Amino acid sequence: MSTNFHLASMIGSIAFIVLVGSGFIVVLTVPSLAQKPIYPMLAIVGAALLITPVIGWYVATRIQR
């Protein structure tokens, strides 16, 4: 496994935590979303799972330059 992959996985996990945490805060502070928060939270987790590998790979390639 390459160094870029290791960096991307570490950065991606940090980005996942930040995205999910900030998304949950937004969901719980908006009154209309806070009534039934399970579905918006599941959507946030799903979106974060799709976005974080891209963010991790992009940041890892930028770090190595």
Side-chain angles (χ1 to χ4, degrees), residues 2-53:
S2 68
T3 306
N4 197 24
F5 178 77
H6 287 289
L7 280 173
S9 63
M10 286 189 293
I11 294 167
S13 64
I14 294 168
F16 178 79
I17 293 169
V18 170
L19 287 174
V20 169
S22 60
F24 281 7
I25 290 171
V26 169
V27 166
L28 294 174
T29 55
V30 174
S32 62
L33 294 176
Q35 291 174 357
K36 287 195 173 188
I38 188 69
Y39 298 113
M41 286 182 171
L42 288 174
I44 289 170
V45 171
L49 281 173
L50 294 174
I51 294 171
T52 53

